[in-house]
Amino acid sequence: QVQLVESGGGSVQAGGSLTLSCVVSGYTYTTYGMAWFRQVPGKEERERIACVESDGKTEYRDSVKGRFTVSRDNAKNTLFLEMNSLKPEDTAMYYCASDALCWILSNKYNFWGQGTQVTVSS
């Protein structure tokens, strides 16, 4: 059974930092792309903010470049998202997702975690 379990969300003030984790089980994690999405309350769309391919290549949404870092520890089947210089507009539910490649659109991903809330106050 495929499982993705996020943790590390919380409430911080603007300018603060958080690191999210996503532990993966139930499939060959190392051969899949791993992405972080976020969804703002009231919006249906989940936007991809970062992704790391199986070969380590990373992609970022422009709004988080230079502030967020995505990484993976294949030995621990864990995906990370280090978030620095957080802004109130980063407030959202954050999800990890996995599929063969780093697709941009959320509907391309077969596997999802349950989400972890990040709240940034001004």
Side-chain angles (χ1 to χ4, degrees), residues 1-115:
Q1 181 182 0
V2 174
Q3 279 194 315
L4 285 72
V5 180
E6 302 99 333
S7 62
S11 297
V12 295
Q13 290 192 325
S17 300
L18 284 172
T19 297
L20 307 183
S21 300
C22 173
V23 179
V24 176
S25 62
Y27 68 102
T28 308
Y29 162 80
T30 56
T31 63
Y32 279 71
M34 297 294 302
W36 286 100
F37 282 78
R38 66 187 180 190
Q39 186 171 17
V40 176
K43 279 194 172 182
E44 287 190 18
E45 180 185 354
R46 292 181 183 181
E47 61 181 23
R48 196 193 75 174
I49 54 172
C51 195
V52 54
E53 298 272 17
S54 58
D55 63 1
K57 179 184 174 184
T58 56
E59 299 172 9
Y60 294 93
R61 192 176 187 87
D62 285 346
S63 60
V64 306
K65 281 181 181 177
R67 300 188 298 123
F68 291 10
T69 302
V70 61
S71 62
R72 61 195 296 168
D73 184 336
N74 288 340
K76 296 183 178 180
N77 282 5
T78 304
L79 175 72
F80 300 99
L81 184 68
E82 181 182 351
M83 304 185 295
N84 298 311
S85 301
L86 283 162
K87 304 175 181 179
E89 52 263 43
D90 294 318
T91 296
M93 184 70 79
Y94 284 70
Y95 298 89
C96 64
S98 181
D99 206 85
L101 297 173
C102 275
W103 310 109
I104 292 177
L105 298 178
S106 61
N107 61 8
K108 293 282 194 178
Y109 288 79
N110 281 305
F111 305 127
W112 288 88
Q114 82 290 350

